[in-house]
Amino acid sequence: MDDTLAQTQRLKAAIHFTTGQICQTIAADCGREFSRQAIAAIAETTFRQCDTFAKDLEAFARHAKRNTINVDDVKLVSRRSTALSTYIQQKSEELASAHQEQKEKRRKNTVKRKHQDTEGDPEQNED
Amino acid sequence: RRRAADPTLPKSYVQNMFKHFAKTQVSKDVYPVVNEILQKYFKRVTEDLEAFASHAKRRTIEKEDVELLMRRQGFLTDRSPVNVLIEKFLPMEYRKLLIPIATSGNKVIPKQ
């Protein structure tokens, strides 16, 4: 029980820190100041929002008879607000393309390695 | 103005339902507002159900889609499962349809 409390405290502290950073960048952009209480309130709201998000994502993944949460579930959570869903759509496409590029790179690397293996390294012949 | 072709719930039904849940006197001019809200509600709910069904790669809306929707709306929690709500709000003939074991006197009657 105490252990879980410490864990949540740690998580909340991390969220609070990140929230502070984001608020600082926004404050620099707008020329406004965030009070400490405001930042703390935003952090707390974020924490509880994460709770609902987690439950929703779990429910959506189970609904599609999966045990793994994937991009479709996240899109479904953000479906309510149009701007957010378009943004997430863009992000997911970017991620997918990056993933594709990485895959191709890896494939090329493996092909190269195979070539080297077939040619036979002179260092390997010493064993 | 909405088209006359739009399907709506009967006026008396909506009024009685609203009166029943409001537990106070309800004036007549509330009805158009409530009806408008109902239309919007149905539109939104159908969109949600469509999304949930397509998420599970189905083209038919099933009971579990509705359960998921109600869970997101906060009507269903772990403390109040769907059967509790059915027993609370629906009349007996619908309860028999949804929960086959729910008959008066709690006797299980085998199907003829």
Side-chain angles (χ1 to χ4, degrees):
Chain A
M1 192 64 221
D2 203 30
D3 205 33
T4 54
L5 187 72
Q7 185 73 7
T8 48
Q9 291 288 350
R10 216 174 292 138
L11 285 172
K12 274 188 186 176
I15 286 179
H16 191 255
F17 174 69
T18 315
T19 310
Q21 282 188 322
I22 293 169
C23 285
Q24 267 181 358
T25 54
I26 290 171
D29 281 351
C30 308
R32 295 267 168 88
E33 284 292 318
F34 282 89
S35 71
R36 302 181 74 89
Q37 286 88 347
I39 293 175
I42 294 170
E44 184 64 28
T45 314
T46 311
F47 189 78
R48 294 188 190 192
Q49 187 73 270
C50 281
D51 195 17
T52 52
F53 276 157
K55 279 181 181 146
D56 279 346
L57 286 168
E58 202 178 344
F60 287 149
R62 277 195 57 80
H63 186 72
K65 295 179 181 61
R66 280 188 270 102
N67 285 326
T68 324
I69 291 164
N70 69 7
V71 186
D72 292 346
D73 302 325
V74 181
K75 280 177 193 164
L76 207 58
V77 164
S78 68
R79 200 176 57 92
R80 271 272 149 253
S81 63
T82 321
L84 187 63
S85 56
T86 48
Y87 178 78
I88 283 182
Q89 186 76 30
Q90 275 181 2
K91 277 281 167 202
S92 75
E93 279 166 13
E94 282 175 28
L95 277 172
S97 60
H99 195 72
Q100 204 70 27
E101 279 177 22
Q102 269 195 337
K103 262 192 176 176
E104 279 174 16
K105 268 187 187 175
R106 268 187 218 152
R107 203 174 294 154
K108 277 178 187 172
N109 281 348
T110 49
V111 168
K112 271 185 187 173
R113 252 184 241 144
K114 273 183 182 169
H115 265 295
Q116 282 174 357
D117 287 349
T118 48
E119 284 168 12
D121 290 337
E123 290 147 20
Q124 276 186 348
N125 295 341
E126 290 173 8
D127 298 343
Chain B
R1 252 186 68 80
R2 280 186 300 100
R3 296 191 313 275
D6 261 1
T8 52
L9 285 171
K11 185 173 175 177
S12 61
Y13 178 78
V14 172
Q15 275 173 335
N16 287 340
M17 181 85 85
F18 195 74
K19 256 183 209 152
H20 170 78
F21 282 108
K23 295 192 179 76
T24 52
Q25 291 291 320
V26 180
S27 67
K28 283 275 192 288
D29 56 357
V30 164
Y31 168 75
V33 184
V34 172
N35 204 25
E36 203 64 38
I37 292 169
L38 265 178
Q39 293 294 325
K40 281 183 180 164
Y41 172 79
F42 278 122
K43 191 167 177 288
R44 217 176 111 162
V45 157
T46 44
E47 282 170 6
D48 278 354
L49 288 170
E50 218 171 321
F52 292 156
S54 68
H55 182 71
K57 294 180 182 62
R58 278 188 271 101
R59 302 210 48 195
T60 318
I61 291 165
E62 283 175 15
K63 191 181 165 185
E64 52 188 31
D65 297 320
V66 184
E67 280 182 34
L68 182 66
L69 178 79
M70 288 173 81
R71 195 169 286 280
R72 276 210 93 195
Q73 287 172 338
F75 294 119
L76 283 182
T77 51
D78 295 337
R79 281 185 197 166
S80 69
V82 67
N83 284 5
V84 171
L85 291 181
I86 290 170
E87 302 242 333
K88 203 170 170 181
F89 291 107
L90 292 183
M92 184 53 98
E93 60 261 34
Y94 293 126
R95 275 161 60 180
K96 275 183 186 170
L97 280 176
L98 291 166
I99 317 170
I101 214 166
T103 54
S104 64
N106 206 8
K107 290 174 189 157
V108 183
I109 298 166
K111 274 188 178 173
Q112 301 298 324

